[in-house]
C-alpha cells in the first residue's frame, strides 16, 4: 500500500492553545492513509496532545526555543534536523516570529513546499513585540505560500501589500461544528456539576495572556454583579497561562472571587459552552478566535472587542464594542440583551466555511497537488 505523504507543522508546543487545537481538529478528520502530520516543537516539555498525536501516527520532534541571541545554536539544530529528515512534502509554520529562519532552511534542504500560517493580528507589548515585527518583516518573500485566518492577521504578519495583491490564502479556523450544537440536557447536567444551576453564566475561553484582556473582562463582570437586580451572575474562565494568578488577585480586589470560576484547560470544552448563557471576549488583538466560532455554533450571544476581525461575525449573535469604553458600558449592553431564545447555529457556521470536515478535504488536496479550492486572498 502507498505510504501517506507527510506534512511537518512547526509550533511552539503541543498544549491546549488555539492554533494547536485547530490543527488537532484538522488532524483527526484527515484520511491518514493519504496525509500524515508530524510536529516540530520549540520545547522539551511534554504537551497535552503528545499522546494523541502518537496514537494517530504522528511524530514529535524538538528543537531549542528561538531567543534571538541563540540564532547560531538554533540554526545548527534545524540544520541537523533537515539533514536527518527529508521526507516531508511540506513544512507549515504556525510560529511566525522565527518562520523567516526555519522555512528558508527547510526549502534549502529540499522540502518542496513551505507555508507560513498567520494566526494572530498582533504582537506582545514591549521589546518582544518589536523583535517579532522585525523578524517577520520580509517573511512574505521567504515562503511559498501565505495562509491567514483573517485579513487582519494577514496584514499583521505579511504586510498590507501582500494582502492587497491577493498573495495570501484565507484558511478559516475551522472546528467540529456538530460537537458544539446546543444540547439542553447537557446544559442542565453541566450547570449542576459546576454548582451554577441558578446563575446567569458569563463565559470566556482563552489562555491568560496580555492579548486576551482578562482584566477588562473581570471589570465588566464586577459591574454586572454590582448592579444586579433579580439575577445572580457567575463567570466561567476556561484556560491557563502566566496571567492566571494576576487575574485571581484582581477578582479578589474587585470582591467577585466567589462568583468567578477558574476552570483550567479541558479537552471536552464543548460541554462547558453548554453551561454558559453569554460569551464575552474583550481581546486586545486576535487572528480569528475559534472560540467565538464555537460560541456561535452553540447558540450563545456574544459580545467581543471591535479589534477582532469581521470574518468571525457569521450570525446575528455577535456584537462588537470598543475596549476603550468604560467596562460599565459593556455590562449595560449585556444586561439589556441577556434574554433571548438559544438555539444551535451549527448549519450557519458550516455553510460559512468553519466546518473542519470540509476543510480537511480541501487541505488534503492542497498537500497532494498544491491547489486550495474555495479560498480567498
Amino acid at each position: 500500500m502507498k505510504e501517506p505523504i507527510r506534512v511537518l507543522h512547526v509550533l511552539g508546543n503541543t498544549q491546549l492553545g488555539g492554533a494547536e487545537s485547530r490543527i488537532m481538529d484538522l488532524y483527526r478528520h484527515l484520511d491518514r492513509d493519504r496525509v500524515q502530520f508530524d510536529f516540530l516543537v520549540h520545547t522539551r516539555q511534554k504537551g497535552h496532545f503528545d499522546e494523541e498525536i502518537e496514537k494517530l501516527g504522528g511524530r514529535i520532534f524538538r528543537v531549542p526555543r528561538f531567543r534571538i541571541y541563540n540564532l547560531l545554536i538554533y540554526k545548527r539544530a534545524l540544520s541537523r534536523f533537515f539533514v536527518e529528515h527529508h521526507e516531508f512534502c511540506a513544512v507549515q509554520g504556525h510560529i511566525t516570529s522565527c518562520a523567516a529562519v526555519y522555512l528558508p532552511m527547510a526549502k534549502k534542504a529540499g522540502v518542496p513546499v513551505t507555508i507560513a500560517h498567520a494566526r494572530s493580528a498582533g504582537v506582545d507589548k514591549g521589546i518582544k513585540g518589536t523583535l517579532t515585527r522585525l523578524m517577520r518583516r520580509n517573511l512574505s518573500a521567504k515562503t511559498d505560500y501565505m495562509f491567514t485566518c483573517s485579513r487582519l492577521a494577514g496584514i499583521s504578519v505579511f504586510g498590507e501589500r501582500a494582502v492587497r495583491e491577493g498573495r495570501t490564502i484565507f484558511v478559516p479556523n475551522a472546528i467540529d461544528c456538530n460537537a458544539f450544537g446546543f444540547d439542553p440536557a447537557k446544559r442542565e447536567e453541566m450547570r449542576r456539576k459546576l454548582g451554577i444551576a441558578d446563575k446567569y453564566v458569563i463565559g470566556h475561553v482563552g489562555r491568560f495572556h496580555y492579548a486576551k484582556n482578562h482584566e477588562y473582562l473581570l471589570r465588566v463582570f464586577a459591574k454586572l454583579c454590582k448592579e444586579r437586580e433579580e439575577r445572580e451572575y457567575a463567570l466561567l474562565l476556561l484556560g491557563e497561562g502566566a496571567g492566571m494568578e494576576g487575574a485571581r488577585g484582581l477578582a479578589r480586589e474587585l470582591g467577585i472571587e466567589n462568583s468567578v470560576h477558574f476552570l483550567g484547560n479541558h479537552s471536552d470544552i464543548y460541554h462547558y459552552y453548554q453551561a454558559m448563557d453569554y460569551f464575552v471576549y474583550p481581546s486586545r488583538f486576535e487572528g480569528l478566535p475559534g472560540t467565538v466560532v464555537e460560541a456561535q455554533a452553540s447558540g450563545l450571544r456574544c459580545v467581543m472587542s471591535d479589534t477582532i476581525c469581521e470574518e468571525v461575525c457569521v450570525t446575528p449573535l455577535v456584537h462588537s464594542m470598543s475596549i476603550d469604553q468604560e467596562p460599565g458600558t459593556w455590562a449595560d449592553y449585556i444586561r439589556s440583551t441577556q434574554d433571548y431564545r438559544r438555539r444551535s447555529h451549527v448549519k450557519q457556521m458550516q455553510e460559512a466555511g468553519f466546518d473542519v470536515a470540509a476543510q480537511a478535504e480541501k487541505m488534503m488536496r492542497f498537500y497532494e497537488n498544491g491547489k486550495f479550492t474555495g479560498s480567498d486572498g
Side-chain angles (χ1 to χ4, degrees), residues 141-365:
K142 296 182 177 180
T143 184
D144 295 323
Y145 292 93
M146 292 175 277
F147 285 2
T148 178
C149 64
S150 70
R151 183 176 179 275
L152 291 177
I155 292 171
S156 177
V157 175
F158 304 120
E160 190 169 356
R161 182 177 178 180
V163 175
R164 186 175 65 249
E165 293 177 350
R167 293 189 285 126
T168 58
I169 298 174
F170 174 51
V171 181
N173 282 345
I175 65 167
D176 184 356
C177 290
N178 285 318
F180 290 88
F182 181 46
D183 182 343
K186 178 58 71 172
R187 168 183 167 80
E188 296 306 316
E189 176 190 330
M190 290 300 295
R191 288 168 71 89
R192 286 194 302 271
K193 174 183 173 181
L194 295 168
I196 53 172
D198 58 342
K199 304 292 195 298
Y200 192 91
V201 181
I202 307 299
H204 182 275
V205 179
R207 63 192 173 116
F208 286 80
H209 179 269
Y210 171 77
K212 303 301 182 184
N213 206 6
H214 281 87
E215 59 270 30
Y216 189 90
L217 171 62
L218 288 166
R219 294 186 189 280
V220 170
F221 182 70
K223 290 290 185 181
L224 273 175
C225 293
K226 183 178 179 180
E227 300 175 17
R228 65 178 180 259
E229 297 170 359
E230 73 282 0
R231 281 180 167 152
E232 294 283 338
Y233 291 93
L235 175 61
L236 303 187
L237 298 178
L238 281 295
E240 296 178 354
M244 182 182 283
E245 286 310 306
R248 288 184 189 274
L250 180 57
R252 287 192 296 270
E253 180 185 322
L254 294 169
I256 56 174
E257 68 271 25
N258 293 331
S259 299
V260 181
H261 302 258
F262 292 83
L263 300 178
N265 287 332
H266 292 272
S267 55
D268 59 344
I269 192 72
Y270 40 87
H271 288 159
Y272 289 83
Y273 281 94
Q274 304 297 337
M276 300 173 189
D277 294 299
Y278 213 114
F279 197 75
V280 182
Y281 216 70
S283 294
R284 291 184 170 93
F285 57 84
E286 291 282 347
L288 187 150
T291 51
V292 178
V293 176
E294 293 166 350
Q296 287 177 89
S298 189
L300 285 171
R301 184 159 277 174
C302 311
V303 60
M304 68 180 195
S305 60
D306 60 7
T307 60
I308 297 176
C309 63
E310 295 179 354
E311 290 95 328
V312 78
C313 302
V314 177
T315 73
L317 291 168
V318 184
H319 179 72
S320 298
M321 297 181 70
S322 172
I323 54 176
D324 291 331
Q325 293 178 298
E326 290 295 321
T329 305
W330 281 55
D332 289 342
Y333 177 79
I334 293 167
R335 193 179 298 107
S336 69
T337 56
Q338 63 187 5
D339 294 317
Y340 64 100
R341 180 175 174 269
R342 184 174 176 184
R343 60 183 180 84
S344 291
H345 284 69
V346 168
K347 185 177 180 182
Q348 291 93 322
M349 304 313 293
Q350 290 174 329
E351 290 174 348
F354 289 100
D355 186 62
V356 71
Q359 188 179 98
E361 184 56 43
K362 289 181 181 180
M363 290 305 302
M364 285 191 292
R365 287 199 296 268

Side-chain angles (χ1 to χ4, degrees), residues 61-126:
F61 306 102
R62 303 180 187 278
V63 292
R65 183 178 177 184
F66 179 64
R67 297 181 182 273
I68 300 289
Y69 61 79
N70 68 342
L71 176 62
L72 292 178
I73 294 172
Y74 182 65
K75 291 182 78 170
R76 279 199 295 269
L78 287 170
S79 180
R80 286 195 299 270
F81 174 78
F82 285 117
V83 165
E84 295 171 5
H85 297 280
H86 33 76
E87 64 269 32
F88 306 113
C89 73
V91 173
Q92 187 166 340
H94 306 272
I95 178 169
T96 56
S97 57
C98 53
V101 178
Y102 63 76
L103 290 180
M105 291 186 70
K107 193 71 175 179
K108 186 177 180 181
V111 176
V113 173
T114 60
I115 307 154
H117 199 144
R119 292 186 175 274
S120 177
V123 296
D124 291 333
K125 59 183 176 180

